[in-house]
Amino acid sequence: MKYLLGFDIGSSSVKVALIEIANGKIAATAFSPADEMPIAAPKTGFAEQDPDRWWQELQHALQKVRQQVAFQGDEVAAIGISYQMHGLVCVDKAGKPLRPSIIWCDGRAVAYGNKAFEALGEDFSLSNFLNSPGNFTASKLKWVKENEPELYKKIHKVMLPGDYIALRLTGEATTTVSGLSEGILWNFKTRSVAKELLQYYGIDENLLSSMVPTFGEQGRLTAEAAGILHLKAGIPVSYRAGDQPNNAYSLNVLQPGEVAATAGTSGVVYGVTDKVEYDPKSRVNTFVHVNHTDAQPRYGILLCVNGTGILNSWLRKNFFAAASYADMNALAAAVSPGADGLQFFPFGNGAERVLENKDMGAMLRGLQFNRHDRGHVARAAQEGIVFSLQYGMEVMQQMGMQLKTIRAGHANMFLSEVFGKVFANTTGCTVELYNTDGAAGAARAAGVGAGIYPDFVSCFTGMNVIKKLEPEKGLQEQYRNIYGAWKHMLQSNL
């Protein structure tokens, strides 16, 4: 039997999937740790993780996969990597991290990005980078340069979280065009590194890793890594992408007009276009999609809300300690739409792009001690998450995106029937749920990158729609009113 391995480096956990090449079925999947990985916040607005913790949890998750399928190391034909986007990892000449990774939801660099946006010119930034430098990787590196100058001098290479895992696997410091675009390190007009932003920040271009293709050989498993992972040295790493472009890929969202969604720690709606489009306020962001070529351009318009699954997780830890997520979903389902007037605003996980990089904090509004219980709170939270996504989807629609059918994996918040119904009826979209996840998508993509699958179509054998949610006329009208009241309250507090 021959297999493909996919690694998905999240901020909550690391997931591993093993795909059978012959039939495209998921042979095994696992994640580690069992509880969410910690996110350190040494100061308000900061969010950091230890890159070596990702590497350790990858090993643990792979061990769990082996407990399900006793495969041999030489049966793995290729490896793919998906990873949490926008993070910054700084390594020395030995490839060792010099500090914890500044991850995607860290807000410390907002002021640097805003200043660069103004200095370089909004029109220039948007037409060349398709985004404000904002709170992305380049701006995080500027923060390190200004606030940790002695550490900055020791940096040999800077990389994204997935680039660091690729370094651990192959011993080579590399990145991709898609990765550079997510860090605002890519100029779409010149089709080259964003030299103008680097020069403004006073950052040496040589700190960037060398570029490799998104699909194709990016390096081979070293003897050291093979020994640690009990795999065969020389296995190609043949795919790498940020978690949201990869999530779209895993759902076969590759062509203009197709849309994917996910609701893990953060919530994302990601639509594909062949046009260079951007939001003037950078409330949603445009990046290079995984299947982009000069001949057939493909861009991903990404809406991200930081506080989605992390809100549900926070509620469980602090208010539902004895309950499972399934228990919470059952409590939410017992409450009528609108949660009897209780409103949850889930913006408690750093600066929110859709709110123009404001960090307004989460808010529970309308709580009545004699009317509301835990079920109301659980339902208001799930509704608030959907409403925050709808708020951003309206920006995407203003940019010309047609949102009719949205594909998602049957995972995370979409395991909740309440969440799925609220999503379909608030957005007015048909929701298709598939038997896939980011790790499985990365494994399939590795098969394309290694030439095992001849095209994008053949790699999706074994992936099926397992549930379809359609808007219901009565509920759709009801949620239009409930969302309208929520949106009015949000805007009055911005």
Side-chain angles (χ1 to χ4, degrees):
M1 182 72 72
K2 283 288 188 179
Y3 300 97
L4 299 165
L5 262 180
F7 300 137
D8 184 11
I9 315 302
S11 47
S12 296
S13 65
V14 175
K15 298 173 185 174
V16 176
L18 187 71
I19 299 284
E20 295 180 13
I21 291 174
N23 56 28
K25 291 183 179 178
I26 300 175
T29 183
F31 66 91
S32 185
D35 295 321
E36 287 92 344
M37 280 188 290
I39 297 175
K43 292 184 180 179
T44 301
F46 285 23
E48 300 181 344
Q49 286 185 320
D50 177 6
D52 285 331
R53 177 70 184 268
W54 306 330
W55 178 241
Q56 292 165 9
E57 299 303 343
L58 183 154
Q59 295 170 51
H60 297 158
L62 185 56
Q63 288 170 0
K64 291 182 178 180
V65 165
R66 275 205 165 85
Q67 291 169 6
Q68 300 172 47
V69 177
F71 65 96
Q72 300 300 311
D74 61 358
E75 291 181 299
V76 173
I79 295 171
I81 302 169
S82 168
Y83 60 90
Q84 50 173 294
M85 297 171 71
H86 316 307
L88 172 67
V89 181
C90 304
V91 302
D92 62 18
K93 288 184 178 180
K96 303 294 184 185
L98 289 164
R99 67 172 332 282
S101 172
I102 302 175
I103 66 170
W104 57 278
C105 55
D106 186 290
R108 75 186 72 184
V110 169
Y112 292 94
N114 290 345
K115 189 176 178 182
F117 195 38
E118 182 179 346
L120 292 172
E122 294 183 10
D123 289 343
F124 176 86
S125 295
L126 292 170
S127 61
N128 286 271
F129 312 143
L130 305 190
N131 301 284
S132 160
N135 193 36
F136 296 105
T137 311
S139 301
K140 290 168 181 170
L141 181 56
K142 173 64 172 176
W143 183 94
V144 173
K145 184 175 188 290
E146 293 298 312
N147 293 275
E148 299 175 347
E150 293 306 312
L151 183 145
Y152 181 84
K153 292 176 185 176
K154 298 176 184 176
I155 298 174
H156 176 61
K157 292 293 178 183
V158 295
M159 50 192 62
L160 298 156
D163 300 338
Y164 178 70
I165 294 301
L167 174 67
R168 294 301 301 255
L169 293 170
T170 68
E172 299 177 33
T174 57
T175 192
T176 65
V177 169
S178 180
L180 289 173
S181 79
E182 77 180 64
I184 318 303
L185 292 163
W186 186 253
N187 187 315
F188 287 75
K189 271 191 177 178
T190 63
R191 298 176 184 173
S192 62
V193 168
K195 298 178 188 293
E196 302 86 353
L197 181 59
L198 291 177
Q199 289 170 1
Y200 173 76
Y201 278 159
I203 292 169
D204 186 348
E205 185 181 334
N206 290 323
L207 292 181
L208 302 182
S209 301
S210 59
M211 282 186 284
V212 293
T214 299
F215 294 89
E217 188 171 315
Q218 302 176 350
R220 288 183 175 265
L221 199 64
T222 64
E224 179 184 1
I228 292 169
L229 301 177
H230 304 290
L231 297 172
K232 184 180 179 181
I235 297 171
V237 175
S238 51
Y239 169 80
R240 187 186 327 168
D243 53 6
Q244 300 313 322
N246 176 72
N247 180 65
Y249 177 85
S250 71
L251 294 160
N252 197 14
V253 170
L254 296 169
Q255 303 307 326
E258 295 177 340
V259 184
T262 184
T265 302
S266 63
V268 168
V269 178
Y270 184 101
V272 177
T273 179
D274 57 358
K275 298 178 177 62
V276 176
E277 297 175 326
Y278 55 82
D279 172 42
K281 297 181 179 179
S282 282
R283 293 166 296 178
V284 300
N285 304 103
T286 305
F287 305 117
V288 174
H289 195 32
V290 294
N291 61 330
H292 172 87
T293 65
D294 291 343
Q296 290 190 314
R298 295 290 182 269
Y299 306 100
I301 297 176
L302 186 152
L303 155 70
C304 179
V305 174
N306 294 350
T308 55
I310 196 170
L311 165 58
N312 218 32
S313 171
W314 183 85
L315 284 177
R316 181 169 175 254
K317 288 176 183 174
N318 292 282
F319 297 99
F320 296 86
S324 65
Y325 287 121
D327 294 332
M328 291 172 62
N329 294 338
L331 287 168
V335 174
S336 60
D340 199 11
L342 193 61
Q343 295 175 322
F344 220 130
F345 299 84
F347 307 111
N349 193 30
E352 291 283 5
R353 282 174 254 165
V354 75
L355 304 181
E356 298 181 50
N357 276 328
K358 290 184 175 68
D359 187 352
M360 65 176 284
M363 181 172 67
L364 185 62
R365 183 185 177 277
L367 181 64
Q368 296 290 331
F369 301 136
N370 298 318
R371 290 169 55 194
H372 297 132
D373 59 21
R374 293 192 306 164
H376 291 89
V377 173
R379 183 165 194 114
Q382 295 198 27
E383 290 181 343
I385 292 166
V386 172
F387 295 162
S388 65
L389 291 168
Q390 170 63 12
Y391 187 74
M393 287 168 68
E394 290 173 357
V395 178
M396 298 176 75
Q397 289 170 319
Q398 291 165 16
M399 294 172 64
M401 289 293 299
Q402 299 296 314
L403 303 174
K404 296 180 180 179
T405 299
I406 295 179
R407 302 175 193 170
H410 191 232
N412 301 317
M413 296 296 296
F414 280 104
L415 292 171
S416 165
E417 189 169 345
V418 168
F419 184 85
K421 279 191 171 184
V422 176
F423 192 98
N425 287 292
T426 299
T427 65
C429 296
T430 297
V431 180
E432 295 177 347
L433 300 178
Y434 289 79
N435 59 334
T436 190
D437 60 21
R444 295 182 194 279
V448 175
I452 294 165
Y453 295 124
D455 50 45
F456 291 129
V457 175
S458 55
C459 80
F460 292 108
T461 301
M463 192 182 81
N464 303 297
V465 177
I466 58 175
K467 195 172 186 179
K468 185 179 283 192
L469 303 169
E470 300 279 3
E472 304 167 52
K473 188 174 181 180
L475 275 177
Q476 198 172 347
E477 180 64 31
Q478 191 175 4
Y479 270 109
R480 186 176 295 117
N481 295 327
I482 296 168
Y483 167 68
W486 182 95
K487 179 180 176 181
H488 175 76
M489 186 55 58
L490 171 66
Q491 292 178 325
S492 68
N493 280 275
L494 288 176

